[in-house]
Amino acid sequence: MSNIAKTVGQRIRNYRIQRSLSQEKLAELAGCHPTYIGQIERGEKNATLESIEKIASALEIPLSRLFEKLTRQDNKSRNIPLECYELLSSKPKDEQEQILQIILDIDKYKSN
């Protein structure tokens, strides 16, 4: 499956976990089958926009958030800021705040 399908699927999984939802509960809220949610999260299914919209609505996030910062890149170069964004967005809010504080502390230390 495409990198976009895998990235969007991972984002769906991250937001689902942040909201402490099982795949079954998300499927119920979105009007989908739990197996379908699992396939989307693993990037095995190329979901329709309608399905993605229903899932975003069930997760209570704007549809656009699932598609933010999607870029094509060659396999030779890493997009470090995007990797950081993906990692940070996969964490609960309290962990995001802790990670940000650590980064700010490191930056402050290096500046001195």
Side-chain angles (χ1 to χ4, degrees), residues 3 7 18 43 60 64 79 96:
N3 284 340
T7 300
Q18 275 183 11
E60 299 178 349
S64 61
N79 187 335
Q96 290 177 2

Side-chain angles (χ1 to χ4, degrees), residues 23-33 36-37 50-59:
Q23 287 182 344
E24 291 77 13
K25 184 63 178 175
L26 177 58
E28 178 185 323
L29 293 170
C32 300
H33 194 279
Y36 185 60
I37 296 292
E50 289 82 9
S51 295
I52 297 294
E53 191 278 327
K54 288 178 185 177
I55 292 168
S57 179
L59 291 170

